[in-house]
C-alpha cells in the first residue's frame, strides 16, 4: 500500500472509531481529495472507451493466437479444381507488358509433371487472361518455392532474354534474388558461399550434397558443379533470420544446401533440415550418408512463437521466395527490367510472429 494512502487509512480508522459511528465530513473530504489527486496523474489520452478496449483484446486474440494454418491459411493446391487453380494463378499476375507476364507462384505448384502443373494450365490461363497468343515459360522458381515465374507469348523475345541471362551469368551478375526465413542466423551477416555441389543417391533418395575439396578434374568429369550464393542477413530475432539470397549459378536445391553450411535451415525445409544435428543447443553438420528427407523439427520455444505443434509441422511450406528478377538489356531495350513479387501472406505472417521486419520488400512490381 502506498505510504500516503496507508497514513490516510490508519488515520481514518482511528478517527472513525473515536466518532463511534458518527459521520465525519473531514475524513470523507480528505479521502476524496487524495483519490482525485492520484487519478489526475493518468493522461486522459490513455483512457480508452470500454468497447474499444474489448475490441482490441478480441483482435489481438484472434490474430496472435493462431498459426498460419488458420490465419491467413495456406492454399492446398491438390484440393483445387483445374478452374480454381487457373483463377488463383490469374489473380497472381504482378507484371504485364507485351509480350511478358510475371506471376507470383504459390509454393507447391510444379512447372512440369504428369499431374496438374503450370505448363498444362497455360492454355487455360491464356483464355482467362484473354490473350490471343500462346504462353510459354521463360524463367520459373522451383516447384517447392513460391515467387516469380516469367511467361512470354513471343519465342523470339524469350530467346533474346535467355541469351542475356547467359551473358549476365558469365559476368557473375545477379539475376534472381530470393528471401528466406532461416532457423539459425548465418555468420557473418553477409558473405559468399562458394562450395561446389553434386547429386548423390542416399538410400532411395537422390540428394544434393556439398563437394568441399573440388578440383578442376571434378568439374571436367562433371562429378561436381560450381555453385556460388551471395547472402545478406536483413534482420534477426529469436534465433531466426530474414535472409536475402542471390545465386550466381543454377543448381537444384542449391540455396537450401548452402544455408546448411552456415548451420542454418530454411523454415519449412523438410528435405535438408535433417543435415544438421544439435549437441547442447549447438548445431553441427551431420555426415552426408546419414541424411534423408524428414519433417523439420523445431524446438519448443520456436513452436510456441509460431503457434505450431510439432505434429503439424509437415504442413509448414518452405519459406523460400523468389522475390526479384532482373532482366538485362535485350533487343531494343537499353536498360534492365526489374520485376518484383511480394512474399505470400503466410510468409509475412510468420515474419511478424518471429519479430522479423520486412521493410526491405517491395510490394509493387517495378520496371526500369
Amino acid at each position: 500500500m502506498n505510504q500516503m494512502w496507508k497514513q490516510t487509512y490508519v488515520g481514518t480508522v482511528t478517527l472513525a472509531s473515536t466518532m463511534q459511528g458518527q459521520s465525519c465530513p473531514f475524513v470523507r473530504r480528505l479521502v476524496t481529495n487524495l483519490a482525485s489527486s492520484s487519478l489526475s496523474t493518468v493522461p486522459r489520452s490513455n483512457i480508452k472507451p470500454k468497447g474499444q478496449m474489448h475490441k482490441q483484446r478480441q483482435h489481438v486474440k484472434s490474430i496472435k493466437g493462431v498459426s498460419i494454418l488458420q490465419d491467413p491459411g495456406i492454399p492446398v493446391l491438390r484440393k483445387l479444381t483445374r478452374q480454381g487453380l487457373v483463377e488463383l494463378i490469374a489473380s497472381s499476375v504482378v507484371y504485364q507488358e507485351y509480350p511478358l507476364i510475371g506471376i507470383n507462384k504459390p509454393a507447391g505448384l510444379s512447372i512440369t509433371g504428369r499431374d496438374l502443373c503450370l505448363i498444362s494450365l497455360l492454355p487455360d490461363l491464356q483464355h482467362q487472361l484473354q490473350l490471343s497468343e500462346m504462353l510459354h515459360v521463360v524463367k520459373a522458381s522451383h516447384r517447392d518455392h513460391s515467387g516469380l515465374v516469367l511467361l512470354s507469348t513471343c519465342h523470339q523475345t524469350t530467346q533474346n532474354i535467355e541469351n542475356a541471362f547467359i551473358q549476365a551469368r558469365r559476368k557473375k551478375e545477379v539475376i534472381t534474388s530470393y528471401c528466406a526465413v532461416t532457423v539459425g542466423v548465418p555468420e557473418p551477416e553477409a558473405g559468399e558461399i562458394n562450395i561446389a555441389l553434386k547429386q548423390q543417391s542416399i538410400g532411395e533418395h537422390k540428394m544434393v550434397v556439398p563437394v568441399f575439396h573440388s578440383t578442376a578434374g571434378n568439374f571436367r568429369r562433371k562429378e561436381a558443379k560450381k555453385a556460388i550464393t551471395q547472402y545478406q542477413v536483413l534482420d534477426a530475432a529469436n534465433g531466426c533470420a530474414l535472409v536475402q539470397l542471390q545465386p550466381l549459378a543454377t543448381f537444384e536445391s542449391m540455396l537450401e544446401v548452402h544455408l546448411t553450411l552456415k548451420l542454418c535451415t530454411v523454415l519449412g525445409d523438410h528435405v535438408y533440415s535433417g543435415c544438421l544435428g544439435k549437441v547442447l543447443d549447438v548445431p553441427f553438420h551431420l555426415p552426408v550418408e546419414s541424411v534423408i528427407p524428414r519433417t523439420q523439427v523445431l524446438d519448443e520455444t520456436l513452436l510456441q512463437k509460431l503457434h505450431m505443434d510439432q505434429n503439424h509441422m509437415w504442413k509448414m511450406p518452405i519459406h523460400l521466395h523468389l522475390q526479384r528478377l532482373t532482366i538485362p538489356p535485350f533487343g531494343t531495350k537499353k536498360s534492365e527490367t526489374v520485376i518484383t513479387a511480394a512474399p505470400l501472406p503466410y510468409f509475412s505472417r510468420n515474419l511478424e510472429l518471429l519479430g522479423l521486419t520486412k521493410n526491405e520488400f517491395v510490394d509493387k512490381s517495378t520496371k526500369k
Side-chain angles (χ1 to χ4, degrees):
M1 184 182 293
N2 185 285
Q3 186 64 28
M4 178 175 64
W5 279 103
K6 185 175 181 182
Q7 293 175 355
T8 303
Y9 175 79
V10 174
T12 301
V13 172
T14 304
L15 185 57
S17 62
T18 60
M19 297 291 293
Q20 296 180 347
Q22 298 181 15
S23 175
C24 180
F26 170 75
V27 173
R28 290 199 306 272
R29 185 166 60 252
L30 176 60
V31 174
T32 302
N33 289 345
L34 286 171
S36 300
S37 174
S38 176
L39 289 174
S40 66
T41 61
V42 180
R44 184 177 298 272
S45 61
N46 291 347
I47 303 175
K48 298 181 179 179
K50 183 177 180 180
Q52 182 179 349
M53 294 177 64
H54 179 67
K55 288 181 180 180
Q56 286 183 345
R57 285 195 295 268
Q58 282 187 326
H59 178 71
V60 170
K61 183 178 180 180
S62 64
I63 294 298
K64 293 191 175 181
V66 297
S67 72
I68 60 170
L69 301 181
Q70 291 83 37
D71 182 16
I74 302 170
V76 183
L77 303 184
R78 68 178 182 275
K79 293 185 178 181
L80 294 178
T81 63
R82 183 183 185 90
Q83 182 58 30
L85 191 51
V86 170
E87 291 175 358
L88 175 64
I89 298 171
S91 67
S92 302
V93 172
V94 295
Y95 177 88
Q96 189 166 2
E97 181 180 341
Y98 181 83
L100 301 177
I101 294 178
I103 63 172
N104 196 358
K105 182 183 81 70
L109 177 62
S110 61
I111 307 303
T112 62
R114 289 177 293 180
D115 299 327
L116 281 182
C117 62
L118 181 60
I119 287 181
S120 70
L121 296 171
L122 288 182
D124 304 73
L125 183 62
Q126 174 192 345
H127 177 74
Q128 186 76 22
L129 297 177
Q130 299 180 350
L131 303 174
S132 59
E133 299 171 280
M134 293 184 63
L135 287 164
H136 59 269
V137 177
V138 182
K139 183 76 174 175
S141 52
H142 185 265
R143 173 190 183 278
D144 294 328
H145 305 164
S146 60
L148 280 168
V149 173
L150 184 63
L151 306 174
S152 173
T153 58
C154 175
H155 286 280
Q156 184 58 54
T157 299
T158 299
Q159 186 64 53
N160 292 338
I161 292 176
E162 289 176 347
N163 291 337
F165 282 159
I166 292 172
Q167 295 300 320
R169 290 193 191 98
R170 288 175 179 171
K171 299 175 183 177
K172 294 187 176 181
E173 295 176 352
V174 173
I175 297 173
T176 55
S177 182
Y178 292 75
C179 54
V181 178
T182 61
V183 180
V185 182
E187 294 183 0
E189 292 186 351
E192 184 176 278
I193 306 169
N194 189 350
I195 301 293
L197 302 173
K198 69 176 183 179
Q199 281 194 334
Q200 179 175 321
S201 295
I202 301 177
E204 299 177 351
H205 306 281
K206 185 169 288 188
M207 306 285 285
V208 176
V209 299
V211 181
F212 292 104
H213 303 292
S214 55
T215 64
N218 295 138
F219 300 133
R220 187 172 57 253
R221 294 187 297 270
K222 297 183 178 180
E223 297 170 346
K225 184 177 179 180
K226 294 180 180 180
I228 303 173
T229 300
Q230 295 176 346
Y231 74 92
Q232 180 177 356
V233 176
L234 303 178
D235 195 18
N238 299 303
C240 296
L242 173 62
V243 184
Q244 181 185 63
L245 300 165
Q246 296 177 325
L248 298 181
T250 57
F251 202 99
E252 183 178 351
S253 303
M254 182 177 83
L255 300 178
E256 295 96 312
V257 175
H258 271 176
L259 279 172
T260 65
L261 302 178
K262 289 294 178 178
L263 301 181
C264 301
T265 59
V266 181
L267 179 63
D269 181 1
H270 306 302
V271 178
Y272 293 96
S273 59
C275 291
L276 300 184
K278 272 189 177 183
V279 173
L280 300 177
D281 287 333
V282 178
F284 66 95
H285 214 279
L286 292 169
V288 170
E289 59 273 8
S290 66
V291 177
I292 58 173
R294 63 175 176 85
T295 300
Q296 187 176 38
V297 178
L298 301 181
D299 62 46
E300 189 60 33
T301 301
L302 191 52
L303 287 171
Q304 290 177 2
K305 288 188 177 298
L306 296 172
H307 303 296
M308 288 288 292
D309 185 277
Q310 183 60 49
N311 293 332
H312 295 151
M313 268 301 294
W314 63 273
K315 299 179 182 179
M316 180 75 74
I318 189 168
H319 285 50
L320 186 56
H321 178 81
L322 177 50
Q323 187 233 344
R324 188 171 70 243
L325 176 65
T326 303
I327 305 174
F330 67 94
T332 59
K333 278 188 171 290
K334 303 302 181 183
S335 60
E336 66 183 16
T337 301
V338 179
I339 307 173
T340 63
L344 300 180
Y346 66 79
F347 192 114
S348 300
R349 171 79 176 122
N350 270 345
L351 287 179
E352 295 174 4
L353 292 175
L354 293 172
L356 299 170
T357 59
K358 54 178 181 177
N359 296 332
E360 293 80 3
F361 295 144
V362 180
D363 292 330
K364 296 181 180 180
S365 59
T366 58
K367 178 185 62 177
K368 292 184 180 180

